[in-house]
Amino acid sequence: MSNPTSVLDSALTQSGIRILPEIVEDVLKKFENAGMLAYRFFDWAGKQQNYTHSIRAYHTMIESSAKIRQYQIMWDLVNAMRSKKLLNIETFCIIMRKYARAHKVEEAVYAFNVMEKYDVPPNLAAFNSLLSALCKSKNVNKAQEIFDSMKDRFTPDSKTYSILLEGWGKAPNLPKAREIYNEMIDAGCYPDIVTYGIMVDILCKAGRVDEAVGIINEMKSRDCRPTSFIYSVLVHTYGIENRIEDAVDTFLEMESSGIKPDVAVYNALIGAFCKVNKLKNVYRVLNDMECNSVVPNSRTGNVILNYLISRGEMDEAFKVFRRMIKLCEPDADTYTMMIKMFCESDNIEEALKVWKYMKSKKFIPGMHTFSVMINGLCEKGEVTKASILLEEMIEKGMRPSRQTFGKLRQLLLKDEREDSPPENKQIFRKEIQTVGRTHINKFHKQFQISNDFVGEDNKKAAHPDALDLTDQLIPRLLKK
């Protein structure tokens, strides 16, 4: 049996492609989720004459290796960069982010502490990167601990405090956020526009909109003009609290201040009007957007669609959808809402039309969109179409939910009547088993190439669903 590694190397060599840094960088970027397959290409390219990997190529490969938790390869790449004197601050920032995202907190801290040994002394940018990585991975307590122990070594700037502020805001922990904000001011590091925006957002989400207005007034007193983002947060919060007059006044204040409203502010205002059932005003806002050359986005349509569907106004929702697709590209939420609306109103044909339109736009549906469509087909007894979509879903590497499997299984077993001859029951059970095994085989075929390049110990890390599905798919489909 031929070695897949040598087969790949041979195929690449025979292609006759002239290896250039920009080509390698582009290929690695496009295949950053291909794991060991990307590494084999990287390794092959590095052996070609008159070619040397760029820093960008190394960084992309480090990210790719970390994604599949091939940390030994990641550090081998770091050592290779070290030997070529290519290491820089960003190299270690990438490693810290990847470790933190994988919830390997101690390893992220280790990457920061080991920088000195690699002749890359950590600076404030690296310190901020470590804090940011920890906060974004929901380890704000650890970030605070490191900040407290190292703030004398690295003088914090507005970005440092903003990172911690946002971390505590997402915790959420309003008292700690206030503490950081006040500590920042006491340290003589005045908030910038980003810090103010974060603080306003935190207060609004905590239902302290009046306190947020106080922060905005503080901004203005320091000749720091609020941004459209800050106004959008205010308008959105007023809408949630049914304070429509305040929402409108804030929008008008923004315009009078010379700040041009963007799509986020308009979306917030549309949401506020939907909350108080002012549909005519929603359409006036849409017209105002058109007059100001502000193009709606998928969020604009989704806010309106969600409102109309919740009120049972399906015809109006479909009109908005048809208008929307002429102005912007729908997103997964848009398609899912429309398909679910038609399925729940017993109009499977229209749901299929939306699905067909979605596929014609080369939009790849996610797990939830697939599930909604499959469940709708199951409700109508469309076993063949539902099975085809389930197969496509698995081919794309998505694991169907227990509910979706259950519905399709019930549908497949529906024709197994009590009065059916025993031989018919046996034939039908074989048909169900064939469907299940077909799905598994096609799922594994998708991952076959990548798994050829990883050892048995690493297969689970590279493709966590690949092994689980083998043991679970058929039993879940067949279990009575």
Side-chain angles (χ1 to χ4, degrees):
M1 186 175 177
S2 61
N3 185 327
T5 300
S6 61
V7 171
L8 177 63
D9 285 4
S10 177
L12 287 168
T13 302
Q14 291 174 15
S15 68
I17 298 173
R18 184 188 173 196
I19 294 300
L20 298 171
E22 53 268 28
I23 291 176
V24 173
E25 290 168 4
D26 288 345
V27 170
L28 290 174
K29 192 65 182 174
K30 288 178 181 176
F31 289 89
E32 62 182 342
N33 294 318
M36 294 305 294
L37 189 61
Y39 179 71
R40 288 309 316 152
F41 170 75
F42 177 88
D43 187 53
W44 170 83
K47 297 173 183 176
Q48 305 311 298
Q49 291 183 348
N50 303 317
Y51 170 80
T52 302
H53 285 309
S54 65
I55 292 176
R56 183 186 170 198
Y58 272 112
H59 284 176
T60 305
M61 197 61 245
I62 285 172
E63 290 194 74
S64 183
S65 300
K67 279 183 180 179
I68 58 171
R69 304 196 177 193
Q70 291 284 354
Y71 298 119
Q72 183 58 57
I73 290 177
M74 180 184 77
W75 283 107
D76 287 344
L77 291 166
V78 171
N79 287 322
M81 291 182 73
R82 181 187 191 181
S83 67
K84 297 176 182 179
K85 300 188 184 304
L86 296 176
L87 288 175
N88 58 27
I89 294 292
E90 180 58 22
T91 310
F92 290 92
C93 289
I94 291 169
I95 295 170
M96 288 185 282
R97 285 198 299 269
K98 290 301 177 182
Y99 271 139
R101 194 169 295 175
H103 303 292
K104 293 181 175 291
V105 175
E106 295 307 320
E107 287 85 345
V109 177
Y110 168 81
F112 177 82
N113 290 332
V114 83
M115 290 176 69
E116 199 85 54
K117 293 182 180 179
Y118 280 85
D119 300 319
V120 183
N123 57 12
L124 181 60
F127 182 59
N128 286 344
S129 182
L130 174 61
L131 297 180
S132 178
L134 294 173
C135 287
K136 287 180 179 178
S137 61
K138 298 181 181 179
N139 287 291
V140 66
N141 284 302
K142 185 65 176 179
Q144 184 68 55
E145 177 189 321
I146 291 171
F147 171 80
D148 291 337
S149 65
M150 293 189 181
K151 61 184 177 182
D152 292 334
R153 181 180 169 192
F154 302 99
T155 303
D157 60 3
S158 60
K159 185 174 183 179
T160 315
Y161 286 109
S162 295
I163 289 167
L164 286 175
L165 189 65
E166 188 170 29
W168 286 117
K170 289 180 178 178
N173 189 324
L174 183 56
K176 284 295 295 183
R178 284 199 186 104
E179 183 183 316
I180 292 297
Y181 184 79
N182 292 329
E183 179 182 337
M184 177 182 186
I185 295 173
D186 292 342
C189 182
Y190 290 101
D192 59 14
I193 193 67
V194 175
T195 315
Y196 279 126
I198 293 170
M199 195 62 200
V200 168
D201 190 41
I202 291 170
L203 289 168
C204 284
K205 284 177 179 174
R208 305 298 182 92
V209 64
D210 294 329
E211 189 176 342
V213 171
I215 295 291
I216 293 173
N217 291 332
E218 178 188 322
M219 288 179 67
K220 293 175 181 177
S221 69
R222 295 189 57 241
D223 293 326
C224 187
R225 192 167 70 160
T227 61
S228 58
F229 165 75
I230 289 175
Y231 279 112
S232 71
V233 171
L234 269 185
V235 173
H236 175 73
T237 307
Y238 282 135
I240 290 175
E241 296 183 355
N242 290 326
R243 295 168 62 176
I244 190 63
E245 293 84 3
D246 289 327
V248 173
D249 288 344
T250 301
F251 182 86
L252 295 175
E253 178 193 324
M254 179 189 66
E255 286 191 314
S256 65
S257 299
I259 299 173
K260 185 178 178 181
D262 59 14
V263 67
V265 183
Y266 276 118
N267 288 349
L269 188 59
I270 287 171
F273 280 127
C274 286
K275 190 79 165 47
V276 293
N277 300 318
K278 300 286 186 181
L279 188 58
K280 288 184 179 179
N281 287 358
V282 167
Y283 291 132
R284 289 192 185 107
V285 174
L286 287 174
N287 291 333
D288 191 57
M289 290 177 72
E290 186 176 354
C291 292
N292 289 324
S293 301
V294 178
V295 181
N297 59 16
S298 58
R299 172 67 181 165
T300 315
N302 292 347
V303 171
I304 303 171
L305 288 174
N306 185 60
Y307 166 72
L308 292 171
I309 293 171
S310 68
R311 289 172 57 86
E313 299 184 31
M314 289 172 289
D315 291 339
E316 188 67 22
F318 192 36
K319 287 180 184 177
V320 170
F321 174 74
R322 285 182 294 182
R323 177 180 175 181
M324 176 182 174
I325 60 180
K326 295 177 183 177
L327 299 173
C328 64
E329 290 293 329
D331 63 9
D333 289 338
T334 316
Y335 289 120
T336 304
M337 275 193 287
M338 294 305 298
I339 291 169
K340 187 176 182 181
M341 180 189 82
F342 283 125
C343 287
E344 291 183 347
S345 62
D346 202 29
N347 196 341
I348 197 68
E349 292 305 318
E350 288 300 322
L352 287 169
K353 285 180 182 178
V354 174
W355 183 271
K356 185 177 179 181
Y357 174 80
M358 176 186 70
K359 298 302 286 288
S360 73
K361 303 299 288 185
K362 308 298 181 186
F363 186 90
I364 300 175
M367 184 181 70
H368 188 47
T369 312
F370 263 114
S371 297
V372 168
M373 189 72 254
I374 292 170
N375 290 339
L377 289 167
C378 287
E379 291 293 333
K380 293 296 290 183
E382 297 279 2
V383 62
T384 302
K385 291 177 181 177
S387 296
I388 289 171
L389 286 187
L390 182 70
E391 185 176 316
E392 182 184 345
M393 185 180 184
I394 294 172
E395 283 179 337
K396 294 185 184 301
M398 301 176 203
R399 182 192 300 193
S401 67
R402 185 180 298 274
Q403 181 189 27
T404 301
F405 265 116
K407 284 194 175 184
L408 183 55
R409 174 185 157 280
Q410 289 298 323
L411 187 61
L412 287 167
L413 293 172
K414 188 177 179 182
D415 289 340
E416 190 182 6
R417 306 272 195 261
E418 286 297 325
D419 55 353
S420 297
E423 60 271 20
N424 284 0
K425 292 184 179 183
Q426 187 175 1
I427 291 171
F428 198 77
R429 285 183 180 278
K430 284 184 178 180
E431 183 180 340
I432 298 173
Q433 189 167 1
T434 299
V435 170
R437 291 198 181 279
T438 298
H439 296 331
I440 288 180
N441 291 336
K442 293 201 172 186
F443 183 88
H444 277 289
K445 190 175 180 181
Q446 175 193 6
F447 292 120
Q448 184 176 356
I449 294 177
S450 292
N451 281 341
D452 284 339
F453 294 111
V454 296
E456 289 297 323
D457 293 339
N458 296 320
K459 283 187 180 181
K460 188 81 172 182
H463 303 291
D465 288 342
L467 302 182
D468 290 346
L469 272 177
T470 303
D471 299 326
Q472 296 181 24
L473 187 54
I474 290 178
R476 283 171 62 182
L477 190 62
L478 297 177
K479 186 178 178 182
K480 294 197 74 174

